[in-house]
């Protein structure tokens, strides 16, 4: 039986200002998502540190939301160009590296070099591991045999000066230090799990393949060149692709050239390395991923929790029975609310919602013998019964008619051979709940930034 891989993406950020070298009126972009496979027979022993990694990310999410609600402006989408095309990139699971992240391969610089970046809807900063030569001296920055970007070898590399308005007013995490007007704009970001990323901002280009098959470049992207990184967050990737709900994210700027849309379909979080789906900018090219049927549901995006994508949950049901959860849990103005986050693995519920959900599910599973599997509260010996067991049906009901009916494997999760656990974790109340990537798996999620809407539909996320 497959086993759970739960390492969570620490927050990474990336800022982009794209312009397309060929006409965007007839083009579209897509990125392919890749997932990594299982790492061995002793995964259960890694559950606790992976669980803690999720909790650390939640701490960062709460602090970011608190800071932004305290005075930051809500995100207002820019004007978007109409187009009938898109560009795609493969996107897949990172389980083969022992992480709970999803990866996309992006070609950066001129000539273009491939980098494996974390696809992160909670990040508005994009950066790559970098090694640069300074004033003829020895190369400085990340090395040690890992894949790194070397800016002096890219003809499109243009450092952003610390004296510019962009550095001083727009780019988050930029340091106030500016020893000379021509000095580069630098950043120093400390993540909640103790990891750090330090480097400088620059304008760069990325090479993309349009749905027509033509290759072209996105110019003027703001990319972080991370010369010094530490901690466990960055071991399995070359950096981060920022897909956050922010005017400076790659998602916002790239989608502005392609109809204001981007979408992804996450394959099973334990899918093998050779199975991938697509991250798409522009109208969804693969009609098999988003069919034109009435089953496609839509809900409004709330811009108050930027750079996160906030959605309005109305209630949660188990076997069609609405659970008794205080409405304040889902209300941003009352200290609650819900975000959709590709960088968190497990779904995290504010404590009142968590208690109601796990209580309802555990009552339905009372016929199974419980086993101890730290850090989960409810785990079961799934092989103890010879007959088929009824698995309770969980549903998330959003404001309006939208309803998410995830497959049972997305919330009753495999953690060891013959052992399944109720796959939710608790967040302090008041606080924000997070729909993690495991609950999102095997659905297409289309972010209509132009019209502030989110659409989703069940899909196996298989490319044909």
């Amino acid at each position: 039986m497959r086993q759970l891989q739960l390492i969570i993406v620490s927050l990474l950020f990336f800022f982009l200002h794209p312009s397309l070298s060929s006409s965007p009126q007839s083009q579209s972009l897509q990125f392919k998502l890749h997932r990594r496979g299982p790492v061995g027979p002793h995964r259960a022993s890694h559950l606790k540190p992976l669980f803690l990694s999720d909790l650390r990310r939640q701490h960062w999410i709460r602090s970011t939301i608190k800071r932004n609600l305290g005075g930051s402006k809500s995100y207002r989408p820019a004007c978007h160009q109409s187009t009938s095309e898109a560009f795609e990139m493969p996107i897949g699971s990172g389980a083969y590296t022992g992480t709970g992240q999803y990866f996309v391969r992006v070609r950066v610089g001129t000539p273009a070099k491939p980098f494996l970046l974390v696809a992160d809807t909670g990040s508005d900063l994009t950066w790559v591991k970098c090694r640069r030569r300074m004033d003829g001296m020895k190369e400085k920055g990340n090395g040690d045999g890992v894949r790194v970007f070397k800016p002096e070898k890219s003809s499109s590399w243009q450092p952003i000066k610390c004296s510019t308005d962009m550095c001083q007013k727009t780019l988050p995490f930029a340091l106030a230090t500016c020893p000379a007007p021509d000095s580069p704009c630098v950043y120093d970001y400390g993540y909640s799990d103790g990891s750090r990323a330090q480097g400088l901002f620059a304008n760069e280009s990325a090479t993309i393949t349009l749905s027509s098959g033509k290759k072209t470049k996105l110019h003027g992207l703001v990319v972080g060149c991370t010369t010094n990184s530490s901690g466990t967050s960055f071991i399995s990737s070359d950096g981060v692709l920022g897909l956050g709900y922010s005017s400076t994210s790659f998602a916002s700027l790239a989608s502005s050239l392609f109809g204001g849309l981007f979408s992804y379909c996450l394959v099973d979080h334990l899918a093998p390395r050779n199975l991938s789906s697509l991250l798409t900018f522009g109208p969804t090219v693969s009609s098999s991923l988003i069919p034109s049927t009435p089953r496609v549901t839509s809900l409004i995006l709330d811009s108050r929790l930027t750079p996160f994508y906030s959605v309005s949950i109305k209630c949660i049901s188990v076997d069609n029975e609405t659970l008794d959860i205080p409405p304040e849990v889902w209300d941003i103005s009352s200290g609650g609310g819900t975000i959709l986050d590709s960088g968190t693995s497990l779904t995290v519920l504010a404590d009142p919602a968590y208690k109601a959900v796990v209580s309802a599910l555990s009552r339905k599973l009372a016929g199974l013998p419980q086993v101890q599997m730290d850090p989960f509260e409810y785990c079961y010996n799934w092989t103890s019964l010879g007959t088929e067991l009824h698995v309770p049906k969980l549903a998330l009901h959003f404001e309006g008619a939208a309803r998410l009916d995830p497959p049972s494997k997305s919330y009753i999760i495999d953690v060891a051979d013959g052992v399944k656990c109720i796959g939710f974790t608790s967040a302090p109340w008041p606080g924000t709940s997070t729909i993690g990537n495991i609950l999102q798996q095997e659905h297409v999620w289309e972010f209509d930034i132009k019209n502030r809407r989110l659409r989703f539909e069940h899909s196996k996320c298989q490319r044909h």
Side-chain angles (χ1 to χ4, degrees):
M1 183 177 292
R2 298 175 305 172
Q3 302 174 348
L4 180 65
Q5 305 297 322
L6 300 176
I7 295 180
I8 303 306
V9 179
S10 295
L11 182 68
L12 308 172
F13 292 88
F14 167 64
F15 299 90
L16 305 163
H17 297 290
S19 60
L20 194 59
S21 61
S22 63
S23 173
Q25 270 39 6
S26 60
Q27 308 298 338
S28 64
L29 323 174
Q30 293 183 342
F31 292 87
K32 185 175 181 180
L33 301 179
H34 300 274
R35 179 162 186 93
R36 303 191 176 190
V39 268
H42 305 296
R43 286 186 292 274
S45 63
H46 293 74
L47 287 177
K48 189 168 184 177
L50 301 184
F51 172 84
L52 293 175
S53 179
D54 254 354
L55 292 184
R56 293 182 184 115
R57 181 173 176 90
Q58 292 306 304
H59 173 76
W60 176 84
I61 288 173
R62 290 194 299 272
S63 63
T64 300
I65 289 174
K66 182 178 180 180
R67 181 178 64 250
N68 289 351
L69 286 176
S72 294
K73 296 180 180 179
S74 295
Y75 169 45
R76 296 181 180 180
C79 296
H80 296 86
Q81 300 183 24
S82 298
T83 178
S84 60
E85 291 199 75
F87 73 84
E88 300 176 335
M89 296 180 175
I91 183 172
S93 164
Y96 69 98
T97 66
T99 76
Q101 304 166 349
Y102 284 79
F103 296 98
V104 59
R105 195 169 298 276
V106 183
R107 298 178 64 83
V108 180
T110 306
K113 301 295 182 182
F115 295 93
L116 193 67
L117 305 182
V118 174
D120 192 353
T121 59
S123 300
D124 51 3
L125 170 65
T126 296
W127 60 263
V128 293
K129 292 178 180 177
C130 190
R131 187 170 63 206
R132 60 196 180 98
R133 188 176 297 277
M134 301 178 63
D135 299 325
M137 300 176 66
K138 184 179 179 180
E139 288 182 338
K140 178 181 179 179
N142 290 288
D144 303 323
V146 300
R147 183 168 43 220
V148 294
F149 178 71
K150 297 182 179 180
E152 75 279 358
K153 294 186 177 181
S154 172
S155 61
S156 50
W157 171 262
Q158 296 180 333
I160 295 174
K161 298 177 182 180
C162 63
S163 57
T164 61
D165 284 345
M166 176 179 288
C167 180
Q168 297 180 4
K169 299 178 181 180
T170 304
L171 300 178
F173 314 114
L175 300 183
T177 304
C178 190
D182 290 337
S183 297
C185 181
V186 297
Y187 58 88
D188 182 355
Y189 184 69
Y191 295 86
S192 58
D193 64 351
S195 301
R196 300 197 72 84
Q198 301 168 317
L200 57 89
F201 289 109
N203 289 123
E204 249 298 357
S205 67
T207 298
I208 58 174
T209 301
L210 301 169
S211 52
S212 62
K214 179 181 178 181
K215 289 186 177 181
T216 188
K217 283 184 177 291
L218 290 174
H219 294 292
L221 307 180
V222 177
V223 178
C225 168
T226 294
T227 56
N228 185 28
S229 60
S230 60
T232 59
S233 299
F234 317 129
I235 293 176
S236 302
S237 71
D238 304 322
V240 175
L241 183 67
L243 301 176
Y245 197 30
S246 163
S247 61
T248 53
S249 75
F250 182 86
S252 173
L253 296 170
S255 65
S256 69
L257 298 173
F258 294 90
L261 299 170
F262 82 95
S263 63
Y264 59 71
C265 198
L266 303 181
V267 296
D268 186 292
H269 72 286
L270 295 177
R273 184 176 183 176
N274 62 351
L275 181 62
S276 64
S277 186
L278 294 171
L279 168 62
T280 303
F281 288 87
T284 302
V285 175
S286 302
S287 59
S288 61
L289 294 185
I290 290 194
S292 298
T293 72
R295 294 185 302 162
V296 177
T297 52
S298 175
L299 57 148
I300 297 174
L301 289 170
D302 194 315
S303 62
R304 287 179 290 172
L305 299 184
T306 56
F308 308 107
Y309 293 92
S310 175
V311 295
S312 298
I313 290 181
K314 181 170 57 179
C315 64
I316 296 178
S317 66
V318 173
D319 284 345
N320 294 318
E321 178 183 349
T322 300
L323 304 184
D324 185 15
I325 300 172
E328 292 80 12
V329 169
W330 314 123
D331 184 9
I332 294 175
S333 60
S334 298
T338 308
I339 64 171
L340 195 77
D341 183 29
S342 67
T344 299
S345 292
L346 294 173
T347 289
V348 183
L349 297 175
D351 193 59
Y354 170 81
K355 289 178 178 177
V357 169
V358 298
S359 176
L361 292 174
S362 63
R363 286 197 303 270
K364 301 287 184 178
L365 300 174
L368 285 172
Q370 284 191 242
V371 296
Q372 183 69 32
M373 186 64 71
D374 192 48
F376 295 101
E377 187 174 359
Y378 292 96
C379 296
Y380 304 91
N381 181 348
W382 214 255
T383 61
S384 61
L385 297 181
T387 58
E388 285 293 323
L389 176 72
H390 167 70
V391 178
K393 186 62 179 176
L394 177 84
L396 276 64
H397 304 261
F398 300 93
E399 293 293 343
R403 168 174 168 157
L404 175 64
D405 295 286
S408 59
K409 66 179 180 179
S410 295
Y411 55 92
I412 307 294
I413 57 179
D414 293 326
V415 298
D417 290 339
V419 178
K420 294 178 184 287
C421 296
I422 297 177
F424 294 93
T425 61
S426 176
W429 173 253
T432 305
S433 298
T434 302
I435 300 174
N437 60 41
I438 294 179
L439 207 66
Q440 296 177 48
Q441 68 185 358
E442 296 187 351
H443 282 76
V444 181
W445 298 89
E446 182 182 72
F447 299 79
D448 185 345
I449 296 178
K450 178 181 179 180
N451 297 304
R452 295 186 178 183
R453 300 197 72 86
L454 173 67
R455 304 180 185 91
F456 60 90
E457 166 65 326
H458 176 73
S459 172
K460 288 296 183 181
C461 302
Q462 296 178 357
R463 302 166 63 214
H464 302 290

